Amino acid sequence: MMVVDVLETIWETYQTKDSVLQPMWDYVRLNHSETLRSPLFPVILTVASYFVLCLPYLVCDIMGKKWPAISRYKIQPDKMPTTAMLLHCSGVTLYNHVLLVFPAAVAQWMWRPPIPLPEQAPTLLELAGGVTGNLLLFDFQYFIWHFLHHKIRWLYVTFHAIHHKYSAPFALATQCLGGWELVTVGFWTTLNPILLRCHLVTTWMFMVVHVYVSVEDHCGYDFPWSTSRLIPFGVYGGPSKHDVHHQKPNTNFAPHFSHWDKMFGTHADFSYAKTR
């Protein structure tokens, strides 16, 4: 019992102690509260993050084989995106955001009151746990959605086929989606932090991290610093696994992690794609 009491005391002390994020949170909360409380802020944050995070990979695609040190990490080196492909994906992304995302955000801004900002910042443990929990929950949701939209032909042709226009993915193809898929993904991304009762900082961090790993999954490059190489034991899929999915669409349905595909027998590595 003494050990348990000590652990409880340590945990209570940890919870009551100010987070290392508190000074940063106090500054933005007190100086930029109107911006942070706006329902438009998460939309602007995710859209801006998307294009900023796509930019380095876009430069790699444009330079192509002129950068041998970079192009050697290209998963399908003979399939570089053309200008027409890049423009097509950019056009689809802008179309969806202008006609779907921003009108929905403005409508929400008109009827939804400003979000109250909590005074306390999340701890680093709460931040990391919340982001990880949201990624895992989204992974489960999208695995089911993705599996069904490949197995039921009407769903695939009507809603998901546009995303498989290219068998060699690239960063700007990340959001080359049908409207239904974009709305579904946006709904889960917004709802999950509420279900998990996350702090607003955790919610915003999850949104940015989710955009990053989604872009990385589609980038077409398997760099040494890819998330799948940094996380051990093969629990994370990463760009090479998602590249296989675009070559062999009945494999690797989970967007990020590998456990659901391994459990349901749909997991495949890059050697599978090369031998089929």
Side-chain angles (χ1 to χ4, degrees), residues 215-228:
V215 170
E216 185 190 57
D217 282 352
H218 290 84
C219 72
Y221 295 87
D222 191 12
F223 291 117
W225 55 85
S226 294
T227 306
S228 56

Side-chain angles (χ1 to χ4, degrees), residues 39-40 42-44 46-47 92-109 175 179 182-183 186:
L40 294 175
V43 177
I44 296 172
T46 53
V47 172
V92 171
T93 301
L94 291 173
Y95 175 88
N96 284 335
H97 281 80
V98 169
L99 293 186
L100 291 173
V101 176
F102 282 109
V106 170
Q108 185 184 41
W109 174 66
Q175 290 193 10
L182 182 67
V183 169

